[in-house]
Amino acid sequence: MVSQMLADGRRQILDILGPGRLLHASVTDVADSTAETLSPTHLERRKLLDPLASSELVEAVLLMLRRAQHHATLLGRKTALERVAYAVLDLADQFGARVRGLAYAEVIFRLHLTRNDLADWMGLTGETVSRCLNALKRQEIIGFDTPEIILIKNLKTLEAAAGGDRPSLVARGTHPATHP
Amino acid sequence: MVSQMLADGRRQILDILGPGRLLHASVTDVADSTAETLSPTHLERRKLLDPLASSELVEAVLLMLRRAQHHATLLGRKTALERVAYAVLDLADQFGARVRGLAYAEVIFRLHLTRNDLADWMGLTGETVSRCLNALKRQEIIGFDTPEIILIKNLKTLEAAAGGDRPSLVARGTHPATHP
DNA sequence: CGAAACATTGACCGCACTCAAGGCTGGTGG
DNA sequence: CCACCAGCCTTGAGTGCGGTCAATGTTTCG
């Protein structure tokens, strides 16, 4: 998780990095920016000498940029429900696994964020996030028994609720989408 | 101006590029993203073969990223007045010129954006931007006789109104800050 | 002079925030 | 084993900031 903190305690989470994502120091070396883990994490250092790694780095920074700009549009112009729907979709892309026994369009994944984390990511409050998640649940679009494990029951409707436009904003990395 | 458009017409301006800023195609080649000029503009193409230009490019992309992340924090966590104050400061940094005859802390510059452009940049509406600008004007923090020419009369107070934290987010370019 | 685009201002409204109460879960110590 | 506690989630009631709608003023330009 990459986040920024304002002097008075307001926090904005800038990005959630799932398996396979790359992180460059230039992102965290800005004043008031920090990176933290939200779950047990395996980190690898990339050497910059390797030209392959260098292009990999440029790709990673450009991905961060595209995600940051898309996120800005979301924060500036989307409603609470659209934001929460989008957060679920993005986390599903990054952490989701297609599971045997689920219908084709169903995805299940573990939220590594609390409601308040989601709020600080989406520019909302924890209460609003909770209300939106439960609204989606009542509409049978998603499901959860414990607050941590989210099941997407109707992907198409969820994407519609997110407001449509969702360009591919995941790492094209070689990492398989397996994660506890 | 770099902006994104949603299917239903909502627009988010992602960044305003003043003199000396660099723009890479990867920013505009994303779906629904466009770049437009708001004033007569002089463009130069940079060759990538030159290793100097290459590092220049990486710098420019990293600047875009830092600005985008800072902007996300602004959109997600700041009030209307803070946003408008920040917009004035950022435009002053990019377009402002210290003018003879003005007090030390005074800066004057031309807004190349309408109130609605500012609104689409700051995630607000034109009416709210107008109200905030006039509030700042009533407090003698800024001044304007025509809507286009903005004078910063009290920089310190304006920075306070913007919510404080404002890391250097301008191009360290070689361009002098002269602009019509 | 007239039209179009932009800016300003006011009145009202609604979405998301605030505040508060209550429930659930997991961890700790008697 | 259970009482207690802390943290998180959920839900409701009420508020307020910023949005919406509308009227008017201003500037520009043909």
Side-chain angles (χ1 to χ4, degrees):
Chain A
M1 165 185 98
V2 175
S3 65
Q4 260 180 1
M5 202 93 167
L6 298 184
D8 57 7
R10 285 177 285 182
R11 182 178 66 155
Q12 177 64 50
I13 295 179
L14 298 170
D15 205 350
I16 302 292
L17 308 201
R21 295 283 305 276
L22 267 64
L23 183 61
H24 188 248
S26 61
V27 170
T28 56
D29 283 0
V30 184
D32 304 321
S33 285
T34 54
E36 304 169 51
T37 58
L38 296 173
S39 64
T41 300
H42 174 76
L43 275 178
E44 282 177 30
R45 178 183 295 271
R46 285 282 196 277
K47 296 267 183 266
L48 272 179
L49 307 174
D50 184 356
L52 176 70
S54 169
S55 86
E56 209 180 29
L57 172 70
V58 172
E59 275 303 310
V61 172
L62 285 176
L63 177 62
M64 287 293 274
L65 176 57
R66 265 182 289 126
R67 283 179 63 89
Q69 293 187 329
H70 187 264
H71 196 225
T73 300
L74 181 147
L75 292 174
R77 287 295 175 228
K78 293 204 169 181
T79 66
L81 190 65
E82 288 174 320
R83 298 184 201 191
V84 171
Y86 176 80
V88 171
L89 286 169
D90 189 59
L91 293 174
D93 278 348
Q94 293 205 82
F95 296 96
R98 192 129 296 155
V99 174
R100 282 208 322 152
L102 291 180
Y104 170 71
E106 294 191 333
V107 187
I108 197 168
F109 65 97
R110 174 186 291 274
L111 263 189
H112 298 285
L113 301 85
T114 68
R115 301 293 187 261
N116 269 299
D117 291 337
L118 284 171
D120 284 343
W121 189 23
M122 293 292 121
L124 301 167
T125 61
E127 293 91 329
T128 298
V129 168
S130 178
R131 277 185 254 268
C132 290
L133 284 174
N134 283 286
L136 292 171
K137 185 183 181 183
R138 273 191 300 276
Q139 295 178 259
E140 309 273 317
I141 296 171
I142 67 174
F144 53 93
D145 292 324
T146 105
E148 276 275 287
I149 309 290
I150 305 289
L151 169 69
I152 298 181
K153 301 168 81 171
N154 191 333
L155 190 56
K156 284 277 166 285
T157 313
L158 186 57
E159 281 172 342
D165 78 314
R166 209 163 63 84
S168 89
L169 291 170
V170 291
R172 326 180 226 284
T174 58
H175 262 261
T178 55
H179 201 73
Chain B
M1 162 185 100
V2 176
S3 66
Q4 260 180 0
M5 201 95 170
L6 298 185
D8 56 7
R10 285 177 287 181
R11 182 179 67 154
Q12 178 65 49
I13 295 179
L14 298 170
D15 204 351
I16 302 293
L17 308 202
R21 296 282 304 278
L22 267 63
L23 182 60
H24 188 248
S26 60
V27 170
T28 56
D29 283 1
V30 184
D32 304 321
S33 286
T34 54
E36 303 168 54
T37 58
L38 295 173
S39 64
T41 301
H42 174 75
L43 274 178
E44 280 177 32
R45 177 184 296 272
R46 284 282 195 277
K47 296 266 183 266
L48 273 179
L49 307 173
D50 185 357
L52 176 69
S54 169
S55 88
E56 210 180 30
L57 172 69
V58 172
E59 275 303 310
V61 172
L62 285 175
L63 177 61
M64 286 294 274
L65 176 58
R66 265 183 288 125
R67 283 179 64 88
Q69 292 187 329
H70 187 263
H71 196 225
T73 300
L74 181 147
L75 292 174
R77 287 294 176 231
K78 293 204 167 179
T79 67
L81 190 64
E82 288 173 320
R83 297 184 202 192
V84 171
Y86 176 81
V88 172
L89 286 169
D90 188 58
L91 293 174
D93 278 347
Q94 293 206 81
F95 296 97
R98 192 130 297 156
V99 174
R100 280 207 326 150
L102 291 181
Y104 171 70
E106 295 191 335
V107 186
I108 196 167
F109 65 96
R110 173 184 290 275
L111 263 189
H112 298 285
L113 301 85
T114 67
R115 302 293 187 261
N116 269 300
D117 291 337
L118 284 171
D120 284 344
W121 189 22
M122 293 293 121
L124 301 167
T125 61
E127 293 90 331
T128 298
V129 168
S130 179
R131 277 186 255 267
C132 290
L133 284 174
N134 283 286
L136 292 171
K137 185 182 179 183
R138 274 191 300 276
Q139 294 176 261
E140 308 273 319
I141 297 171
I142 66 173
F144 53 93
D145 292 324
T146 106
E148 275 276 287
I149 309 291
I150 305 288
L151 169 68
I152 298 181
K153 301 168 80 171
N154 191 332
L155 190 56
K156 284 276 167 286
T157 314
L158 186 57
E159 281 173 343
D165 78 315
R166 207 164 64 85
S168 89
L169 290 170
V170 292
R172 326 182 227 280
T174 58
H175 261 260
T178 56
H179 201 72

